[in-house]
Amino acid sequence: MYISIGTIITVGSLIGALGVIGGVLIAAYKFLKKPEELEKKIQKIRATHEEDIRKINEEQCLITYGLLACLKGLKEKGCNGPVTEAINKIEKHLNKQAHDMEE
């Protein structure tokens, strides 16, 4: 069997065409799979974000109770005026938050 230049060119063209078809198929597969991967990443970020918010809320709650305790200590020492007003505002806020959480 004699291999001519035409045969080599035809085989080369066939290999090139199969490579292009394979590349297109792989690109299509990756393109269709990308939204699924992005959704997984978004869910992971959302879970992390919700956990961070929960921790921040707990920390703010502790800070608020500590501030309220300090203000009450100042009131016991005889400080009035803005101290009493701040205590009333913080207690009002805490009560409002407690009732909003129940709903």
Side-chain angles (χ1 to χ4, degrees):
M1 179 171 161
Y2 178 71
I3 300 176
S4 67
I5 294 177
T7 308
I8 294 173
I9 291 174
T10 305
V11 170
S13 298
L14 181 62
I15 291 172
L18 290 175
V20 169
I21 291 171
V24 169
L25 291 175
I26 290 172
Y29 173 76
K30 287 183 178 181
F31 178 76
L32 294 175
K33 190 174 178 175
K34 191 174 268 189
E36 183 179 307
E37 292 172 357
L38 289 176
E39 186 64 31
K40 287 179 184 177
K41 288 180 182 178
I42 289 171
Q43 291 297 333
K44 184 178 177 183
I45 291 170
R46 186 174 290 140
T48 303
H49 179 68
E50 289 173 358
E51 178 67 19
D52 290 344
I53 289 175
R54 186 187 62 75
K55 288 179 182 178
I56 289 169
N57 285 340
E58 286 178 7
E59 184 177 345
Q60 284 182 337
C61 182
L62 290 173
I63 290 170
T64 303
Y65 282 126
L67 178 63
L68 185 59
C70 291
L71 289 172
K72 286 183 177 182
L74 284 172
K75 186 175 181 181
E76 287 177 7
K77 292 289 185 182
C79 298
N80 273 335
V83 172
T84 305
E85 183 181 332
I87 290 171
N88 291 336
K89 284 184 179 182
I90 291 174
E91 286 179 341
K92 181 179 177 182
H93 173 74
L94 290 174
N95 284 333
K96 183 180 178 195
Q97 289 297 107
H99 290 295
D100 286 344
M101 287 183 173
E102 290 176 1
E103 295 175 357

